[in-house]
């Protein structure tokens, strides 16, 4: 009993000596802290294969080879799409920008944008690849790679050979869903094709920002929504049964590209272009590449081959 009384008396003295308004332990920051970003090397040997050109300009294609953290690339699902191409005729140098994704053996995608240059006379390729997240274990990945290489034929490129080396972060740090902004841009690209497929010009123009540029395959630019509507109606007019089937969609936080197949029958023709009706059914592949800001398309360009189209409908 004496021991119990002594213990209680000691506790009372301790409490009296302490200001109960102050904590006995030092304050701790209870805000959750993000994990430290870990950067690791990434490198590989990649081959870029051109699968579609327009007026001599590579428009889209596939990638093969090996890349650390991914292993052997699944070529059919590793794709690139051209954003812009410029030619400096004095130095014989091509400067281009593209974006796309590479696919690992387990189906995870690593997305990227690429800025590069190609000196035709020296057959030298160089540039930088920015890593922009992806799916699965790459959903939070960021980083960059430098690349150098050459083309198989500088005058008629079908394959580019590139050595890449750089750093990547947060591989495997998240197995969550894809970035919501990427999902939004994928949905916009799908809606774009749906609008063409259903001949819904209201839906098509609703996807465009107040200020936009729509470049059709022939190089004409539209900056007015009424002009886009007339372009769409003119496209349908020669083949009233026109349908547009989505083949694939690739997107990141800024760009999206949709590969589609235009299917129809040339029952009317396009007299204003000198194209008569042939009553021939056709399936024409094409791609639309777009830049998206605040949920609206600010720039879009269609790629398809007019000569191939004329051959398919029996005019050439």
């Amino acid at each position: 009993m004496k021991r119990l009384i002594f213990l209680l008396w000691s506790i009372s003295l301790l409490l009296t000596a302490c200001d109960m308004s102050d904590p006995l332990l030092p304050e701790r920051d209870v805000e959750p802290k993000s994990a430290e970003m870990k950067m690791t090397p990434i490198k590989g040997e990649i081959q870029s294969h051109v699968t579609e050109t327009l007026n001599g300009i590579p428009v889209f294609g596939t990638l093969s080879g090996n890349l650390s953290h991914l292993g052997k690339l699944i070529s059919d699902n590793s794709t690139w799409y051209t954003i812009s191409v410029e030619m400096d005729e004095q130095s014989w140098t091509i400067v281009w920008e593209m974006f796309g994704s590479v696919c690992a053996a387990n189906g995870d995608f690593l997305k990227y944008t690429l800025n590069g240059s190609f000196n035709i006379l020296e057959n030298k390729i160089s540039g930088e690849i920015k890593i922009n997240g992806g799916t699965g274990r790459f959903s939070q990945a960021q980083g960059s790679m430098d690349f150098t290489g050459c083309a198989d034929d500088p005058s008629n490129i079908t394959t580019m050979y590139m050595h890449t080396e750089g750093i990547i972060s947060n591989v495997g740090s998240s197995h969550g869903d894809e970035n919501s902004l990427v999902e939004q841009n994928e949905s916009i690209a799908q809606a774009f094709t749906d609008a063409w497929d259903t001949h819904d010009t209201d839906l098509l123009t609703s996807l465009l920002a107040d200020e936009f540029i729509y470049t059709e395959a022939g190089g004409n630019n539209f900056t007015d929504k009424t002009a886009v509507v007339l372009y769409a109606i003119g496209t349908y007019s020669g083949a009233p049964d026109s349908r547009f089937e989505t083949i694939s969609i690739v997107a990141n936080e800024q760009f999206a590209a949709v590969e589609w197949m235009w299917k129809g029958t040339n029952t009317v023709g396009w007299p204003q272009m000198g194209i008569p009706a042939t009553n021939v059914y056709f399936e024409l592949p094409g791609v639309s590449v777009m830049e998206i800001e605040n949920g609206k398309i600010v720039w879009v360009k269609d790629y398809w081959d007019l000569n191939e189209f004329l051959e398919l409908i029996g005019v050439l």
Side-chain angles (χ1 to χ4, degrees):
M1 179 62 72
K2 289 182 179 180
R3 290 182 179 178
L4 178 59
I5 293 173
F6 177 77
L7 179 60
L8 293 175
W9 177 74
S10 300
I11 293 175
S12 66
L13 287 177
L14 178 62
L15 295 177
T16 302
C18 296
D19 182 354
M20 295 304 294
S21 63
D22 294 331
L24 295 177
L25 297 175
E27 291 186 4
R28 292 185 298 175
D29 183 5
V30 295
E31 291 292 327
K33 295 183 178 179
S34 58
E36 182 181 355
M37 183 177 292
K38 182 179 180 181
M39 309 300 293
T40 59
I42 180 172
K43 63 181 180 178
E45 303 293 333
I46 298 176
Q47 297 83 50
S48 173
H49 311 282
V50 178
T51 58
E52 189 67 35
T53 60
L54 180 64
N55 298 325
I57 297 175
V59 175
F60 64 95
T62 61
L63 297 168
S64 62
N66 290 271
L67 193 62
S68 56
H69 304 287
L70 287 92
K72 184 178 180 179
L73 304 182
I74 306 302
S75 181
D76 290 344
N77 295 328
S78 299
T79 55
W80 56 263
Y81 297 86
T82 297
I83 298 171
S84 65
V85 177
E86 295 181 2
M87 173 69 176
D88 184 342
E89 295 183 357
Q90 291 184 341
S91 63
W92 284 80
T93 299
I94 299 172
V95 178
W96 81 97
E97 183 179 9
M98 63 177 62
F99 86 102
S101 63
V102 287
C103 184
N106 69 345
D108 287 348
F109 285 93
L110 180 65
K111 304 196 173 187
Y112 67 89
T113 54
L114 179 151
N115 289 276
S117 64
F118 174 50
N119 186 291
I120 298 174
L121 298 179
E122 297 179 0
N123 192 13
K124 290 184 178 180
I125 300 168
S126 63
E128 183 182 29
I129 300 170
K130 293 286 188 179
I131 297 169
N132 303 318
T135 63
R137 61 196 180 99
F138 300 115
S139 61
Q140 302 298 321
Q142 297 293 323
S144 64
M145 295 184 289
D146 294 326
F147 66 87
T148 56
C150 62
D152 57 343
D153 181 354
S155 61
N156 183 26
I157 300 171
T158 58
T159 302
M160 291 183 174
Y161 303 91
M162 299 179 291
H163 171 77
T164 65
E165 193 165 349
I167 54 174
I168 188 171
S169 70
N170 295 338
V171 174
S173 63
S174 172
H175 293 271
D177 294 334
E178 191 165 354
N179 184 304
S180 60
L181 190 57
V182 175
E183 292 180 338
Q184 169 200 272
N185 292 346
E186 289 177 342
S187 297
I188 290 172
Q190 181 62 65
F192 178 86
T193 312
D194 291 343
W196 278 97
D197 183 51
T198 59
H199 303 193
D200 189 341
T201 55
D202 288 337
L203 173 59
L204 179 62
T205 55
S206 73
L207 299 172
L208 303 173
D210 292 337
E211 295 183 0
F212 68 92
I213 299 176
Y214 192 131
T215 304
E216 53 90 29
N220 296 311
N221 293 323
F222 306 120
T223 58
D224 179 79
K225 293 186 178 182
T226 300
V228 173
V229 170
L230 294 176
Y231 167 59
I233 292 174
T235 301
Y236 305 138
S237 64
D241 63 341
S242 290
R243 301 294 304 273
F244 286 80
E245 176 186 346
T246 299
I247 305 301
S248 65
I249 293 176
V250 174
N252 60 25
E253 294 183 352
Q254 183 179 3
F255 298 102
V258 54
E259 184 182 359
W260 41 260
M261 186 73 71
W262 179 16
K263 300 179 179 181
T265 310
N266 177 26
T267 55
V268 177
W270 292 264
Q272 69 276 17
M273 297 176 61
I275 301 176
T278 58
N279 294 312
V280 174
Y281 174 78
F282 63 88
E283 294 187 0
L284 178 73
V287 171
S288 295
V289 181
M290 60 199 72
E291 183 177 3
I292 301 169
E293 291 182 1
N294 300 319
K296 295 291 184 178
I297 298 171
V298 296
W299 169 84
V300 58
K301 185 170 185 178
D302 294 336
Y303 292 102
W304 52 270
D305 192 312
L306 177 59
N307 288 332
E308 181 180 2
F309 176 65
L310 295 177
E311 291 177 359
L312 288 172
I313 62 176
V315 173
L316 290 182

